[in-house]
Amino acid sequence: MSDEAVYPVTDHFRNKALVDRDTYESMYQRSIEDPEGFWAEQAKRLDWIKPFSRVKDVSFARNDVHIRWFDDGTLNAAANCIDRHLEQRSGQPAIIWEPDEEGGENRVITYGELHREVSKLANGLKSLGVRKGDIVTLYMPMVPEAAYAMLACARIGAIHSVVFGGFSPEALSGRIDDGGSRVVITSDEAKRGGKTVPLKQNVDEAVSLCRESKVESVITLKHTGADVSFDANRDCWYHELVGKQSEDCPVEEMNAEDTLFVLYTSGSTGKPKGVVHTTGGYLLHTAITHEYVFDYRPGEVFWCSADVGWITGHSYVVYGPLANGGTTMMFEGVPNYPDVGRLSRIIDKYKVATFYTAPTAIRSLMAEGDKPVAGADLSSLKLLGTVGEPINPEAWRWFHQKFGKGQCPIVDTWWQTETGGILISPLPGATDLKPGSATKPFFGVKPALMDAEGNELEGATSGGLVLKDSWPGQMRTILHNHDRFVETYFSTYEGAYFTGDGARRDEDGYYWITGRVDDVLNVSGHRMGTAEVESALVAHDAVAEAAVVGCPHEIKGQGIYVYVTLNQDSSPSDELAKELKQWVRKEIGPIATPDVIQWADGLPKTRSGKIMRRILRKIASDEFDQLGDTSTLADPNVVDDLIEGHRVAA
Ligand code: WT7
């Protein structure tokens, strides 16, 4: 990523952007010097039921981590995303939905309709006994009803926990259990690229696996019309439930610090953690970033291609665009179905102004040459965006040239599930672009780079990326586990939030994210904990020990590379390798499928028994000459065996 070519702010944005260079500088300065004043002013973009008097109450001190914003104010997120727009926009599209099947019936949902649908479902949830503070689990396809369900929860003060439809029944049950959900909303099936995913069947299995939660109601959307099993005591059809509800559902008055949702994400150790986001700060952060980073104006069609099962879908398919009275695109399918021209045809069909996607999708299209844009017009586009992983300059330039016709800036947005919204990103009217760099901090964001001893580094340098102060969209805690929250994010560097990423800062103060420095993988822009994959593997009878590391992968960014030591009565075979891959898919989901399995008689361990992953990572990446010091290994000979085994496996 040493590409230092600069793409200056374009004429279009220089003249018309909401934030130009000078405005960025002065607003940024103000947001750092007077965060309370800055955020109090910005908070006016939301409708408050009761105004707040306190802006910020934050401590990052290890012995007392607490994060509160606007904590005596009250509001409702659904009212902010729907009701307040009705007067001006009841007939304007809120959601445009494009189905998996090209040419299939699409849907345009106006704000008026969104209001009715969300209110009816909210009443339906109430009729099933859902109350303020209850956690409702959503396991849905990419359909408007997924957004309705999120907003219906928000409307009545219930907390949604969306689980990506690609996760297995095992993974789903863990999340239902952790949240103590009594109600699950799902669909008969999901459709993706012409294939179906048996969501309802997965829910049935997940519910039967639950150890803690007693699921009392499963609401099932009829989507593909597939036959599904039905438990009359527990299951109800979505359409039957909402069919009998009133369209009038008053919103629940929520404290700014009441939880809006929980979303699970992988860490470097243990089980996925339930990231807790609250109402006021999160909504403000997604609204302001959506407006400024994407220079969004109501009336434009905004398309974030992420699934609502991820934070990107929460923040930039649902909450940000709708809080701003925008029109948000939802696409059920995948980029290469029925062929690789699908995305550009969708952009033309709906005159999409902003297209926000993942580097992995760009790389997979880039491999097809000109086909992804052949015959497409794409002149509706004004801006492009990427998220999820560093983008290689080659892919950046391809996206810029082919989709953006050299005219559309690309905002490379760095953030995390934990941050709620974008924290480091160009603003199209203010920031000259450098391919591969997420560039500069957003308002109120104070990044810093640290060395291994915990000292802050100045100037052009590299180090661990921390944030020195809070921002409104920051996660507040890990569900049921504040100690783990403190330990994970606030114990590495005193008084700062540690992101888990490494970064470089150049002479212009631009940030270049270099990737995770912990045991978290980034596979196709999705986070995967190595510990999760390892614990799935060792649950298999044949496996004695497993170590998982990332390896470079052309399309996915990182692939999953597994070292397996077998039990004595098992022996390596291609069949067993296949079986183990299947096993992990079943335990976690297809996104966790190992790319490479290497059989290993032994793993590189220190004398105290700790696996030296650094060595495993280097071997998996073909960097045999950079193994570093191996003298502390209990048995240095394993290294040669592993290198030999790697040549066979890779
Ligand atoms: C991790 C967070 C934020 C939504 C999607 C992923 C990596 C994210 C970028 C970027 C380089 C990036 C980081 C981060 N990441 N965006 N623009 N450039 N790296 O959310 O699953 O919570 O993963 O994704 O490593 O820590 P997530």
Side-chain angles (χ1 to χ4, degrees), residues 265 311-312 387-390 412-418 501 513 516 522 525 527:
T265 193
I311 189 71
T312 315
V387 58
E389 49 174 322
D412 174 351
T413 62
W414 175 86
W415 57 295
Q416 313 179 294
T417 305
E418 293 89 335
D501 281 325
I513 311 298
R516 304 288 307 195
N522 191 326
R527 232 156 108 165

Side-chain angles (χ1 to χ4, degrees), residues 467-643:
L467 300 159
K468 295 208 290 180
D469 200 354
S470 184
W471 59 97
Q474 184 171 23
M475 77 182 279
R476 302 302 197 250
T477 191
I478 292 173
L479 186 68
H480 309 313
N481 204 342
H482 196 68
D483 289 346
R484 189 176 174 198
F485 177 60
V486 175
E487 175 60 31
T488 308
Y489 303 104
F490 299 94
S491 68
T492 315
Y493 302 108
E494 177 65 44
Y497 166 87
F498 180 43
T499 63
D501 281 325
R504 174 168 77 85
R505 186 172 49 219
D506 69 16
E507 312 70 40
D508 298 323
Y510 277 42
Y511 287 85
W512 302 70
I513 311 298
T514 46
R516 304 288 307 195
V517 295
D518 54 9
D519 292 319
V520 172
L521 306 183
N522 191 326
V523 182
S524 300
H526 299 314
R527 232 156 108 165
M528 191 46 58
T530 51
E532 267 174 88
V533 183
E534 286 164 6
S535 75
L537 283 161
V538 296
H540 189 284
D541 282 343
V543 177
E545 200 170 22
V548 173
V549 298
C551 62
H553 188 288
E554 267 205 39
I555 304 288
K556 301 181 185 179
Q558 259 186 326
I560 300 179
Y561 195 108
V562 180
Y563 297 87
V564 172
T565 308
L566 292 172
N567 282 318
Q568 268 171 354
D569 42 1
S570 301
S571 45
S573 68
D574 290 350
E575 288 70 51
L576 184 55
K578 246 189 229 149
E579 187 181 320
L580 291 179
K581 288 183 184 178
Q582 271 311 112
W583 175 266
V584 176
R585 270 176 90 90
K586 197 186 141 293
E587 291 280 309
I588 303 173
I591 52 169
T593 313
D595 293 280
V596 182
I597 292 195
Q598 174 175 345
W599 310 114
D601 290 334
L603 296 171
K605 290 186 185 166
T606 60
R607 280 177 209 102
S608 60
K610 200 170 159 318
I611 296 177
M612 287 179 79
R613 294 166 167 284
R614 171 176 56 86
I615 293 174
L616 294 174
R617 275 195 290 266
K618 293 292 178 195
I619 294 174
S621 309
D622 284 322
E623 295 171 346
F624 312 125
D625 51 342
Q626 295 170 40
L627 296 180
D629 183 11
T630 54
S631 65
T632 57
L633 288 175
D635 174 12
N637 291 324
V638 296
V639 173
D640 289 334
D641 293 346
L642 286 167
I643 291 177

Side-chain angles (χ1 to χ4, degrees), residues 38 52 86 99 132 225 262 321 365 379 449 453 463 530 569 575 580:
F38 177 85
F52 53 86
L86 289 178
K132 183 173 179 169
V262 176
L365 293 179
S379 62
L449 300 177
E453 283 72 51
T530 51
D569 42 1
E575 288 70 51
L580 291 179

